[in-house]
Amino acid sequence: MYATTYHKPMSLSEAIELFEGSEDASYLSGGHTLIPTLKSRLAAPQHLIDVRNIPELASSIEVTANKVIIGSATRHHIVASSKEIQAVVPALSGLAGSIGDVQVRHMGTIGGSTANNDPAADYPSAVLSLDATVHTDRREIPAEEYFQGLYTTALEPGEILVRIEFNIPEIAGYAKFRNPASRYSMAAAFVSKHRDGHIRVAITGAGNEGVFRWTEAEERLTESLTAEALEGLTIDPSRMMGDMHAPTDYRAHLVAVMTRRAVQNLGGTHIL
Amino acid sequence: MNSPLKTAAPGAIVHPLKQPKSASAELSPEMKLVQEALFKHVGKPIPRKEDGRLITGKGRFSDDFSLPGQTYAAIVRSPYPHARINGVDKTEALASEGVLLVLTGEDILADGIKDVPHNPVPSTNFDMKLRAKDGSHAFTGPHFLLPADKARHVGEAVAIVVAETAAQAADGAEKVMVDWEELPFVTDTAKAAAPGAPTIWDEVPDNVFIDTTFGDIEGTNRAFEAADHVVKGDFHIHRVTGVTMEPRASLGSYDPETKRYTLYAGSGGAVRQKNELSKVLGIEPKDLRVLSFDVGGNFGTRNRVYVEFGLVLWASRKIGRPVKFTATRSESFLTDYQGRDLVVKAELALNKDGKFLALRSDNLSNVGGRAVSLSPLSKGSGLITGSYDIPFAVLRARAVFSNTMCTQAYRSSGRPEVTFVIERMCELAADQLGFDKLELRRMNLVPPSSMPYTNAVGSVYDSGEYEKNMDRALEISEWNMFDARKAEAATRGKILGRGFANYVESSIGTPKERAEIEIKEDGNIEVIIGTQPSGQGHETSFAQVVADMIQVPVEKVWIVIGDTDIVSVGGGSHSGRSMRHAGTVMAMASADLLAEGRKRAAELFGSTPDQIEFEGAVFKLKNSNQTIDIFELGRRTRASHGKLRVIRDNEMHTPVFPNGAAVCEVEVDRDTGHVQIVRYTTIDDVGRCINPLIVHGQTHGGIAQGVGQAMWELCAIDPNSGQPLAGSLMDYGMPRSDTMPTFNCEIAEVFSPTNPLGIKAGGEGGTTPALATVVNAVVDALSEFGVKDIQMPVTPATVWRAMNNGRKAS
């Protein structure tokens, strides 16, 4: 790790002031991507601004009639063990409970994961599939506009993700095939049927542009929300990432299988 | 090859189980006593003495040590697989804040620092004799702490930077400017040995520095000509690494007053480190003290000298302050000594009834940039025929340099590789020729009546009941009820497959061991021994042995290890040698101690030693009520006779052959190719078992390590760039508790006639058959897709590809 200066602001304005007043700064939340990157000397911000103590971001879960609202510094295990979320979107709490391992779930945060937009992260699929709204220190961003490719989001430099507002669906399911080494998603599908009847299928871990909506699957499932409706539907391997663990054709295959399994496991999760 | 079992008294060799008394006929009265005591009491599952210390953070690992005035080292490593060093510019690094010293390969030569005397060619009487093609001793590639000529693999150390802090050292290392000239490289095992491959060492233009053929060539040829069937197979037992929980670390200190060096460095044996590093530094062994206490995992990776161990000592002398180096996880992945990497071409000749007639095997071992150890090739060479009676065999054993990290003996060195080959060959033969795969094995097994059995390449199997192991493994794995389980799995979309393998392995290891036992005045017994545990529980099992022999509670016995100022001789821990070597020498030392005690007690009672009885740690004059306990005797005779203390040396060359059988059952997810192991069963003949709790624990770890290689682990290298692709746990897949089933393990005890305690070895037997059982099970599951063979690791992508290719072909 290179030398860096650690800051612990206690308010949003202080955090933004620090960011704007610093030459080369980075926000820090649970640190589960940033800290390993720093340790292997692949990144070298001069200033680390820890946002976890800002009251607006602090660990919080609010469930209303139509929404689940989660503060961005809320750690995965809090979401996973929330009885309120389990009651209304078990696929969301199940997704949180499937991230990494116990240690990761007690440090990693929903805001950190969503702001980082790792193509293999779990949360982006829920944000996109549940038509969530991302609230920042300065505006609201619909999920459709928020994700903009690998590690890229609509967040402007210095903009802080404050909370995420999920729509409570009629039903949703999450299916994930894990990388045998890292246990990140190698292909995962979050399928939601919203209360107005529309279907959202979000795929993470597989696409070469990060999380994406699989609209062909949505069309099929709109006709019939069954695994059978997806029979024969394939996705173009050229849209997939490829690596030593999963070449593009295998990932494309897994996307189709995981989408079927998400449908077969609506109201819960299926983790392989 | 000669074995004392065969040559000492050919007619008189009898299995010790059949004539137990003949084995102890010539024993001293004390040795008899010791044996009787031991055989009465060992075998208890005593919980480990060391666990309390280790799980409460009181372990003493290498990085836990710090010395006043300590500095920190960082290593500059080669970013290229093969590159000439045209020069190194230290200027910017030396100007970097806190940097005290920068040393390179040129400085090594200028200071007369020698290469590491790895002695890679195994040399006991029973190791296979590996030579260069012309029969000469092979060129193995000098291993200097830092090379002056060129780097031969990615990650090779080319300079050391010492600074006031670890961060300053790392900053300084980035500022060392190496003038690199990239050279053509080769990393793949077969390609490195192919004509026209880039040359790693000018001394060996074709990279193949070992090429030895063993066995009866004419006899084998005749058997192949007469055979009804010949089955062929090509295999690559791929490269893996140890992934020890504790990264390697070292702290070196030089004292200009005494001109002595001290090294804190966890390893597989401090004595070896002392002897080899003193040669590197050009000093007497007595001028180097090596301390190795708790070690967080070894599996072979720590048995050889690491360059950083020598570098911190040398650097400490240069700057007059202690120097510490602790590897990062990335450095561990790049430069821990790695394991396996053997390419095999095999041919098996059979007659029409399925009797094995002859075997040909061409084994090519990838040693990396230089030869650190040929143990994997050598160990495997003696066992190519496995558990089977194959009258003729020819083995061509070759070793090749490549632009990869050096390989070393790794968990059951060489044996899982050849076991994989022979057990896969059994499956291929059964499938191609229409035999039942179990019956084919059964009819070819070495029977107990043939023990001691000399195999076709000269190894003498000491003892074992192979068919009994096989029967028991099949029974407790419920092999016969498989069909019902398969039908049930099918209802869940899973394909059940089962794999079986027999195994026999050899345990040789460094032949010398010394034990020192002292009856302390405080009522404890101190045992000094030169093995080095890294989780094997020696502090418990060794204490158990001595406690039983001296007949005191186990709590009174303390094992002292890992400080070369105390432990002067010792072979370390590898090749399953520790319990056998240490157990034997401790038994001998205990017998000596009791003899000395008897003598002293006799003097005290005014009698003769033959009138002294010993029981429950108490010496007693026969037909009297005069008694004295061993601690009191020590105290009372200290002034007149000195400490009640013995030193015993022992040397044992004869190998033992642990053996057994294993069964693996897997569920393959039809849609994704995901493999889940659902059952795993083993029978291991470890000879006499001292502590079954520890042996089972060792076996479980061994299974996980073998399964890990078969299913996930792979030191992948990008063929285009020569860069390692699995440089962290993000890409190097490891076994995890939730990917392992509950193990069903049983111990079989067929005592070895080669040592007084009848010990063979435990733990590695978990690993040895695991590669074969997993692959056999996966291939069995995929048989409906026409899959006959599959390359390890059997990752989901590999399995899916095999299913698909099968689907297309059919």
Side-chain angles (χ1 to χ4, degrees), chain B residues 554-569:
Chain B
V554 72
E555 298 77 35
K556 285 188 179 295
V557 181
W558 296 93
I559 308 293
V560 178
I561 49 165
D563 178 348
T564 57
D565 273 7
I566 300 171
V567 182
S568 50
V569 173

Side-chain angles (χ1 to χ4, degrees), chain A residues 91-216:
Chain A
L92 181 60
S93 50
L95 173 148
S98 80
I99 298 172
D101 55 24
V102 175
Q103 287 87 345
V104 169
R105 291 195 290 275
H106 278 73
M107 286 299 286
T109 64
I110 187 170
S113 172
T114 308
N116 188 47
N117 193 20
D118 186 312
D122 295 89
Y123 268 126
S125 67
V127 172
L128 192 56
S129 178
L130 292 171
D131 281 348
T133 305
V134 175
H135 292 256
T136 75
D137 60 293
R138 58 199 73 166
R139 59 181 172 148
E140 297 174 9
I141 312 171
E144 283 281 344
E145 294 163 23
Y146 176 82
F147 297 105
Q148 301 189 346
L150 306 180
Y151 302 102
T152 312
T153 68
L155 293 175
E156 293 162 359
E159 188 170 7
I160 298 179
L161 200 163
V162 175
R163 63 181 180 277
I164 301 174
E165 209 174 277
F166 294 92
N167 288 309
I168 296 174
E170 186 179 309
I171 196 156
Y174 183 61
K176 170 164 70 168
F177 194 94
R178 290 175 298 182
N179 178 313
S182 70
R183 295 218 159 173
Y184 272 89
S185 163
M186 212 150 77
F190 200 106
V191 175
S192 309
K193 182 181 186 187
H194 287 262
R195 287 175 174 173
D196 65 2
H198 80 275
I199 305 282
R200 282 281 179 274
V201 177
I203 306 293
T204 191
N208 56 13
E209 290 179 11
V211 67
F212 66 95
R213 273 178 58 195
W214 191 13
T215 49
E216 291 89 345

Side-chain angles (χ1 to χ4, degrees), chain A residues 14-32:
Chain A
E14 191 190 344
I16 292 161
E17 217 166 280
L18 271 168
F19 189 94
E20 285 170 358
S22 309
E23 186 61 19
D24 180 13
S26 179
Y27 291 124
L28 172 71
S29 185
H32 270 65

Side-chain angles (χ1 to χ4, degrees), chain A residues 1-3 40-41 101 177-184 186 244-247 249-250 253-254 257-258 260-261 270 272, chain B residues 167 170-171 174 494 669 671-674 712 714 716 725-726 729-734 736 738-739 795-797 800-801:
Chain A
M1 191 186 278
Y2 294 99
S40 45
R41 297 191 151 218
D101 55 24
F177 194 94
R178 290 175 298 182
N179 178 313
S182 70
R183 295 218 159 173
Y184 272 89
M186 212 150 77
M244 61 183 273
H245 305 288
D249 58 344
Y250 181 50
H253 171 77
L254 286 179
V257 176
M258 289 302 116
R260 289 202 297 274
R261 292 204 176 165
H270 173 79
L272 258 187
Chain B
D171 285 344
E174 287 185 355
K494 311 284 186 190
D669 182 39
D671 290 335
T672 62
H674 182 268
W712 307 286
L714 172 65
L725 294 173
L729 291 161
M730 291 291 283
D731 288 306
Y732 190 90
M734 291 286 288
R736 297 165 186 256
D738 69 341
T739 52
T795 62
W800 177 75
R801 185 79 63 206

